[in-house]
Short mmCIF file of all heavy atoms in Angstrom, two decimals:
data_model
loop_
_atom_site.label_atom_id
_atom_site.label_comp_id
_atom_site.label_asym_id
_atom_site.label_seq_id
_atom_site.Cartn_x
_atom_site.Cartn_y
_atom_site.Cartn_z
N SER A 40 -13.50 -69.77 82.48
CA SER A 40 -14.09 -69.41 83.77
C SER A 40 -15.01 -68.21 83.58
O SER A 40 -14.75 -67.35 82.75
CB SER A 40 -12.98 -69.07 84.77
OG SER A 40 -13.54 -68.76 86.03
N VAL A 41 -16.06 -68.18 84.37
CA VAL A 41 -16.90 -66.98 84.42
C VAL A 41 -17.00 -66.55 85.88
O VAL A 41 -17.01 -67.37 86.78
CB VAL A 41 -18.30 -67.19 83.81
CG1 VAL A 41 -18.21 -67.37 82.31
CG2 VAL A 41 -19.02 -68.35 84.44
N ASN A 42 -17.04 -65.24 86.06
CA ASN A 42 -17.00 -64.67 87.41
C ASN A 42 -18.43 -64.36 87.88
O ASN A 42 -18.98 -63.31 87.58
CB ASN A 42 -16.15 -63.39 87.35
CG ASN A 42 -15.95 -62.76 88.70
OD1 ASN A 42 -16.60 -63.12 89.67
ND2 ASN A 42 -15.04 -61.81 88.76
N HIS A 43 -18.99 -65.33 88.60
CA HIS A 43 -20.39 -65.19 89.01
C HIS A 43 -20.59 -64.06 90.01
O HIS A 43 -21.65 -63.45 90.05
CB HIS A 43 -20.90 -66.51 89.58
CG HIS A 43 -20.96 -67.60 88.53
ND1 HIS A 43 -21.81 -67.53 87.45
CD2 HIS A 43 -20.25 -68.74 88.39
CE1 HIS A 43 -21.63 -68.61 86.69
NE2 HIS A 43 -20.69 -69.35 87.23
N ARG A 44 -19.56 -63.79 90.81
CA ARG A 44 -19.72 -62.69 91.79
C ARG A 44 -19.88 -61.36 91.10
O ARG A 44 -20.73 -60.55 91.44
CB ARG A 44 -18.50 -62.64 92.73
CG ARG A 44 -18.59 -63.66 93.82
CD ARG A 44 -17.42 -63.58 94.78
NE ARG A 44 -17.39 -64.81 95.54
CZ ARG A 44 -16.85 -65.94 95.11
NH1 ARG A 44 -16.29 -65.99 93.93
NH2 ARG A 44 -16.89 -67.02 95.85
N LEU A 45 -19.02 -61.13 90.10
CA LEU A 45 -19.14 -59.87 89.37
C LEU A 45 -20.46 -59.81 88.62
O LEU A 45 -21.13 -58.77 88.59
CB LEU A 45 -17.95 -59.71 88.40
CG LEU A 45 -18.01 -58.53 87.44
CD1 LEU A 45 -18.21 -57.20 88.16
CD2 LEU A 45 -16.73 -58.47 86.59
N ALA A 46 -20.86 -60.96 88.03
CA ALA A 46 -22.13 -60.99 87.29
C ALA A 46 -23.28 -60.60 88.21
O ALA A 46 -24.16 -59.83 87.82
CB ALA A 46 -22.35 -62.38 86.72
N GLN A 47 -23.21 -61.10 89.44
CA GLN A 47 -24.25 -60.77 90.41
C GLN A 47 -24.23 -59.27 90.73
O GLN A 47 -25.26 -58.61 90.77
CB GLN A 47 -23.99 -61.56 91.68
CG GLN A 47 -25.21 -61.88 92.44
CD GLN A 47 -24.91 -62.92 93.52
OE1 GLN A 47 -23.74 -63.19 93.85
NE2 GLN A 47 -25.95 -63.49 94.07
N ASP A 48 -23.01 -58.73 90.92
CA ASP A 48 -22.89 -57.29 91.19
C ASP A 48 -23.46 -56.47 90.04
O ASP A 48 -24.01 -55.38 90.24
CB ASP A 48 -21.42 -56.89 91.39
CG ASP A 48 -20.83 -57.49 92.66
OD1 ASP A 48 -21.60 -58.00 93.48
OD2 ASP A 48 -19.59 -57.45 92.82
N LEU A 49 -23.32 -56.99 88.83
CA LEU A 49 -23.82 -56.27 87.65
C LEU A 49 -25.33 -56.43 87.48
O LEU A 49 -25.93 -55.81 86.60
CB LEU A 49 -23.13 -56.79 86.38
CG LEU A 49 -21.67 -56.41 86.16
CD1 LEU A 49 -21.02 -57.31 85.12
CD2 LEU A 49 -21.56 -54.94 85.73
N GLY A 50 -25.91 -57.31 88.28
CA GLY A 50 -27.35 -57.54 88.19
C GLY A 50 -27.72 -58.53 87.09
O GLY A 50 -28.84 -58.51 86.59
N LEU A 51 -26.78 -59.40 86.71
CA LEU A 51 -27.06 -60.37 85.64
C LEU A 51 -27.73 -61.62 86.21
O LEU A 51 -27.45 -62.00 87.35
CB LEU A 51 -25.75 -60.77 84.93
CG LEU A 51 -24.95 -59.66 84.26
CD1 LEU A 51 -23.72 -60.22 83.58
CD2 LEU A 51 -25.84 -58.94 83.24
N PRO A 52 -28.57 -62.28 85.41
CA PRO A 52 -29.17 -63.54 85.88
C PRO A 52 -28.11 -64.64 85.94
O PRO A 52 -27.06 -64.53 85.29
CB PRO A 52 -30.21 -63.85 84.79
CG PRO A 52 -29.73 -63.12 83.58
CD PRO A 52 -28.98 -61.92 84.05
N SER A 53 -28.35 -65.70 86.72
CA SER A 53 -27.30 -66.70 86.95
C SER A 53 -26.87 -67.43 85.68
O SER A 53 -25.75 -67.90 85.57
CB SER A 53 -27.74 -67.71 88.01
OG SER A 53 -28.94 -68.30 87.59
N ASP A 54 -27.78 -67.51 84.68
CA ASP A 54 -27.40 -68.22 83.45
C ASP A 54 -26.91 -67.25 82.36
O ASP A 54 -26.93 -67.58 81.18
CB ASP A 54 -28.59 -69.02 82.91
CG ASP A 54 -29.71 -68.10 82.42
OD1 ASP A 54 -29.72 -66.90 82.81
OD2 ASP A 54 -30.56 -68.56 81.63
N TRP A 55 -26.50 -66.06 82.75
CA TRP A 55 -26.13 -65.03 81.76
C TRP A 55 -25.16 -65.54 80.71
O TRP A 55 -25.28 -65.22 79.53
CB TRP A 55 -25.53 -63.80 82.47
CG TRP A 55 -24.21 -64.09 83.13
CD1 TRP A 55 -24.04 -64.57 84.39
CD2 TRP A 55 -22.91 -63.95 82.56
NE1 TRP A 55 -22.71 -64.74 84.65
CE2 TRP A 55 -21.99 -64.37 83.54
CE3 TRP A 55 -22.42 -63.52 81.32
CZ2 TRP A 55 -20.62 -64.38 83.33
CZ3 TRP A 55 -21.05 -63.53 81.11
CH2 TRP A 55 -20.17 -63.95 82.11
N TRP A 56 -24.21 -66.33 81.14
CA TRP A 56 -23.15 -66.75 80.22
C TRP A 56 -23.61 -67.84 79.26
O TRP A 56 -22.98 -68.07 78.22
CB TRP A 56 -21.91 -67.18 81.01
CG TRP A 56 -22.20 -68.30 81.98
CD1 TRP A 56 -22.88 -68.20 83.17
CD2 TRP A 56 -21.85 -69.66 81.84
NE1 TRP A 56 -22.97 -69.42 83.77
CE2 TRP A 56 -22.33 -70.34 82.98
CE3 TRP A 56 -21.15 -70.38 80.85
CZ2 TRP A 56 -22.15 -71.71 83.15
CZ3 TRP A 56 -20.96 -71.74 81.04
CH2 TRP A 56 -21.46 -72.40 82.17
N GLN A 57 -24.73 -68.47 79.63
CA GLN A 57 -25.25 -69.52 78.74
C GLN A 57 -26.26 -68.97 77.74
O GLN A 57 -26.79 -69.71 76.92
CB GLN A 57 -25.91 -70.63 79.58
CG GLN A 57 -24.90 -71.38 80.43
CD GLN A 57 -25.54 -72.10 81.59
OE1 GLN A 57 -26.39 -71.55 82.27
NE2 GLN A 57 -25.15 -73.34 81.80
N ARG A 58 -26.54 -67.68 77.84
CA ARG A 58 -27.51 -67.08 76.92
C ARG A 58 -26.95 -67.08 75.49
O ARG A 58 -25.72 -67.02 75.29
CB ARG A 58 -27.81 -65.64 77.34
CG ARG A 58 -28.40 -65.51 78.74
CD ARG A 58 -29.91 -65.71 78.69
NE ARG A 58 -30.49 -65.72 80.03
CZ ARG A 58 -31.23 -64.73 80.54
NH1 ARG A 58 -31.47 -63.65 79.83
NH2 ARG A 58 -31.76 -64.83 81.75
N PRO A 59 -27.84 -67.10 74.49
CA PRO A 59 -27.39 -67.19 73.10
C PRO A 59 -26.39 -66.08 72.75
O PRO A 59 -26.63 -64.91 73.06
CB PRO A 59 -28.67 -67.02 72.28
CG PRO A 59 -29.79 -67.26 73.22
CD PRO A 59 -29.30 -67.02 74.61
#
Side-chain angles (χ1 to χ4, degrees):
S40 182
V41 291
N42 184 348
H43 294 295
R44 279 182 196 82
L45 173 55
Q47 210 168 14
D48 293 347
L49 287 163
L51 300 182
S53 57
D54 68 341
W55 66 273
W56 57 286
Q57 293 160 316
R58 300 275 174 108

